Amino acid sequence: MSDQPVSRRDFVGTTGTLAFGAMIVPRHVLGGPGYQAPSDTLNVAFCGVGGMGMSNWTQFLNENTVAVCDVDFPYVERSLGGRTRQRTVGNPPAGMNPDQVTAWRAQQEQNNQRSYDEGQKLQAAYTKAAKYADFREMLDKQKDIDAVVVATPDHLHAVIASAAMQAGKHVYVQKPLTYSVHEARTLAKLARDNPKLVTQMGNQGHSMDGTRRIREIVQSGVLGPIREVHVWTDRPVRYWAQGIPRPGASGPSAQMAASQVREQANVDGVPRRWNVRTVEQAIINEMAKDVQTPPPGLHWDLWLGPAPDIPYHPVYHPFSWRGWVDFGVSAIGDMGAHLIDQPFWALDLDFPTAISSSSTMWGGPASNPASYPLAMTTEYEFARRGAMPPVKLFWYDSGMLPPRPPFLPDDLSLQGGDGGGGYFVGTKGILTYETYGNNPKVYPASTAAAAEKVAKSVPRIEVPHEVNFAQACKGQTKASSPFEYAAKLTETMLLGIVALRSGQGKKILYDGANMRVTNANDANQWLTRQYRSGWAV
């Protein structure tokens, strides 16, 4: 046996599988049932915890939080305060009898107590952890990190993940994996070149039973050959604005412009015309009223990262960044990972061969838009895969729905859970599903009966998506959605944006093997982005 000391990383990482049996004392010997030995605990760092990152964090509370990196700690602490507050039980839904009300209240009280206890654990972990505003400083100084969780705005995902991987850390990255096709390829290559690193994208539906059941049914062939899939979401409508112009400057000049608009509203008694441009100017005037100095504690330059040097405005941070071209990738980037995932996996799809998109108008000038269109549709074409025929996949967002499919009963609507869903069209029937792959159903009844007999063949994941990642880091299982898979799914989603930037309704032909649009050379510029100096991936 070697006399060389065993590092903690070797001990916890995937290469330590053979050493576990000899070196780890059984948990029940050390501390009874449920005890987690320190040697079986990950040291985790979190980048971006004011929003979704805090939800991810709750699934790592059995691990050791060693560092938290965020560019806006006052916002983080406000979010944390919301989770540490005791909640009261509200009024029960109408129509319940007394016994139902009692049961409902008991369940609500239990849920509130669970949330409060979780919030207290988050607060304790936050208090103990080292704090950083710059992820580069964190990776340089914090030598005890095993894994990094990235839940920042989209434009920072690849910058942080690539730096963490190059530093030898396992990485969990929220969806979409990256902002651009180029970045997806870069992270995929880093994962291939570093096979000991565990990677995972945060498309939690991939670990859920519904998505796995969909794959089993589709792969069984009971639906017949599938040549068409439709997918939709109501995002961004319920969550953030798109199709709006960029904020203008605040101050006296902006106030004067707003005053001039009011003076011109009724020239010679003639009412102003409320066309689209009038509405845009009204939005600009309203945005100009906001304070445009970064609030105390916000490191705006670090928030921008690789993006252009755009002045701060609260319309970007917090949360609303997703609709702006420089920071997010619209609804297809937000929800595609939860809705395109199911057909991509179930049908063994590879890169699409052709893509076309159309939309409502962009926000700001079409030649240099500020925000994504309010609504868009995309058509993807995929080549034959073995015995499976070519297939077209259609995307709809902003609440638009596809045509009703054959076999769907007349009394059923298409709107799915959490504002989205999808359906596969086979020659013998259809399979519908909701967001995250939930609640898959097959029609007609005869095909549904055949689907019921399809055996379970895809392994089930009995723990949350984040816990699956943590277990994979310890060599206990495999990651559910590693970059090997997630990068290709992300690239496919982002090609819908590439097609839209190339022109309304224009079909681009894509050579996935060489990452190149072959029939429109100008379109290739949208496969990557212009990086600010010092931030390139």
Side-chain angles (χ1 to χ4, degrees):
M1 184 173 179
S2 172
D3 292 330
Q4 293 295 319
V6 178
S7 71
R8 188 183 180 286
R9 174 165 300 281
D10 288 338
F11 194 64
V12 174
T14 56
T15 59
T17 303
L18 295 178
F20 268 69
M23 300 178 69
I24 297 180
V25 179
R27 295 178 185 177
H28 70 275
V29 173
L30 289 174
Y35 176 80
Q36 183 162 301
S39 56
D40 197 20
T41 301
L42 283 180
N43 284 345
V44 187
F46 295 86
C47 292
V49 294
M52 187 64 196
M54 194 169 290
S55 296
N56 292 142
W57 195 0
T58 64
Q59 301 299 329
F60 288 93
L61 290 174
N62 286 334
E63 311 302 335
N64 185 30
T65 300
V66 295
V68 175
C69 179
D70 204 285
V71 299
D72 190 353
F73 278 110
Y75 177 62
V76 170
E77 291 172 4
R78 290 195 299 273
S79 298
L80 192 58
R83 289 177 176 264
T84 56
R85 185 177 63 249
Q86 279 279 21
R87 292 178 172 84
T88 58
V89 176
N91 296 321
M96 286 186 172
N97 62 42
D99 289 342
Q100 291 172 327
V101 169
T102 299
W104 180 86
R105 288 190 180 280
Q107 183 63 57
Q108 293 302 305
E109 290 171 356
Q110 182 180 353
N111 292 344
N112 287 350
Q113 187 61 47
R114 185 185 302 113
S115 296
Y116 176 77
D117 293 343
E118 187 178 79
Q120 295 303 307
K121 292 179 181 178
L122 278 172
Q123 180 66 68
Y126 177 78
T127 300
K128 184 184 72 170
K131 314 294 192 302
Y132 298 90
D134 192 328
F135 70 91
R136 296 166 296 190
E137 180 185 8
M138 180 189 74
L139 292 172
D140 182 55
K141 292 183 177 180
Q142 197 79 29
K143 301 302 183 183
D144 57 349
I145 297 171
D146 296 316
V148 176
V149 177
V150 182
T152 61
D154 299 347
H155 67 293
L156 288 161
H157 284 187
V159 176
I160 299 174
S162 61
M165 293 173 76
Q166 289 168 20
K169 317 301 181 185
H170 307 300
V171 288
Y172 180 104
V173 183
Q174 256 305 330
K175 52 77 193 168
L177 183 62
T178 62
Y179 173 88
S180 72
V181 169
H182 158 73
E183 291 175 347
R185 291 289 176 111
T186 298
L187 292 193
K189 184 177 187 303
L190 277 170
R192 284 195 307 272
D193 293 346
N194 297 275
K196 293 180 181 179
L197 296 183
V198 176
T199 62
Q200 181 104 300
M201 182 170 75
N203 55 326
Q204 63 267 32
H206 201 78
S207 290
M208 295 179 182
D209 184 78
T211 296
R212 289 164 186 266
R213 186 57 180 161
I214 289 170
R215 178 170 170 83
E216 289 164 347
I217 293 172
V218 169
Q219 292 271 316
S220 74
V222 297
L223 298 175
I226 295 170
R227 293 181 172 85
E228 193 174 308
V229 182
H230 296 258
V231 181
W232 64 91
T233 182
D234 66 351
R235 268 55 160 204
V237 171
R238 287 192 294 143
Y239 291 88
W240 66 88
Q242 292 187 181
I244 61 175
R246 193 180 298 285
S250 61
S253 60
Q255 294 170 4
M256 183 178 297
S259 175
Q260 291 172 348
V261 169
R262 286 193 295 270
E263 290 174 0
Q264 295 169 4
N266 285 281
V267 177
D268 298 327
V270 178
R272 179 168 35 140
R273 293 181 62 184
W274 276 90
N275 56 27
V276 170
R277 299 306 168 204
T278 309
V279 173
E280 284 188 343
Q281 188 60 52
I283 293 171
I284 292 171
N285 293 341
E286 192 63 27
M287 290 191 291
K289 297 177 183 179
D290 284 313
V291 175
Q292 297 180 39
T293 302
L298 171 60
H299 299 265
W300 182 243
D301 184 70
L302 293 176
W303 191 95
L304 287 173
D309 189 7
I310 295 170
Y312 166 79
H313 192 284
V315 79
Y316 304 130
H317 169 76
F319 184 72
S320 298
W321 49 266
R322 196 180 297 279
W324 298 95
V325 169
D326 296 304
F327 312 126
V329 282
S330 193
I332 200 168
D334 179 47
M335 296 305 292
H338 297 317
L339 288 157
I340 297 176
D341 178 23
Q342 290 72 29
F344 200 81
W345 192 31
L347 290 168
D348 292 331
L349 298 180
D350 205 323
F351 296 120
T353 57
I355 314 99
S356 61
S357 296
S358 61
S359 71
T360 54
M361 67 180 188
W362 292 83
S367 59
N368 184 28
S371 67
Y372 291 101
L374 180 60
M376 68 174 278
T377 64
T378 299
E379 177 181 341
Y380 298 94
E381 298 179 24
F382 296 91
R384 174 180 294 275
R385 291 91 52 228
M388 289 189 280
V391 63
K392 291 184 176 182
L393 187 151
F394 299 85
W395 167 267
Y396 315 79
D397 61 34
S398 200
M400 293 189 295
L401 295 174
R404 289 177 61 85
F407 305 112
L408 186 71
D410 292 343
D411 60 339
L412 295 182
S413 65
L414 284 176
Q415 192 65 50
D418 197 16
Y423 63 75
F424 297 74
V425 181
T427 57
K428 299 178 181 178
I430 61 170
L431 186 153
T432 67
Y433 62 94
E434 298 177 356
T435 305
Y436 312 112
N438 290 339
N439 200 25
K441 293 185 176 180
V442 174
Y443 304 96
S446 57
T447 306
E452 283 288 328
K453 298 176 182 177
V454 174
K456 289 186 177 181
S457 57
V458 179
R460 294 315 194 254
I461 295 176
E462 305 296 339
V463 296
H465 197 57
E466 298 90 340
V467 176
N468 164 258
F469 167 75
Q471 291 177 344
C473 291
K474 302 171 192 179
Q476 298 170 359
T477 189
K478 292 183 178 180
S480 168
S481 186
F483 290 1
E484 174 188 6
Y485 170 82
K488 190 171 288 189
L489 170 61
T490 298
E491 179 168 335
T492 298
M493 292 152 44
L494 298 180
L495 285 169
I497 298 292
V498 172
L500 189 62
R501 296 300 299 264
S502 302
Q504 292 282 348
K506 182 174 182 176
K507 177 185 283 192
I508 60 173
L509 304 180
Y510 191 60
D511 176 2
N514 295 297
M515 200 187 88
R516 184 160 187 82
V517 177
T518 59
N519 66 326
N521 191 53
D522 286 350
N524 288 294
Q525 66 182 303
W526 309 120
L527 298 176
T528 185
R529 75 172 308 156
Q530 295 294 317
Y531 293 89
R532 277 205 305 161
S533 178
W535 291 91
V537 175

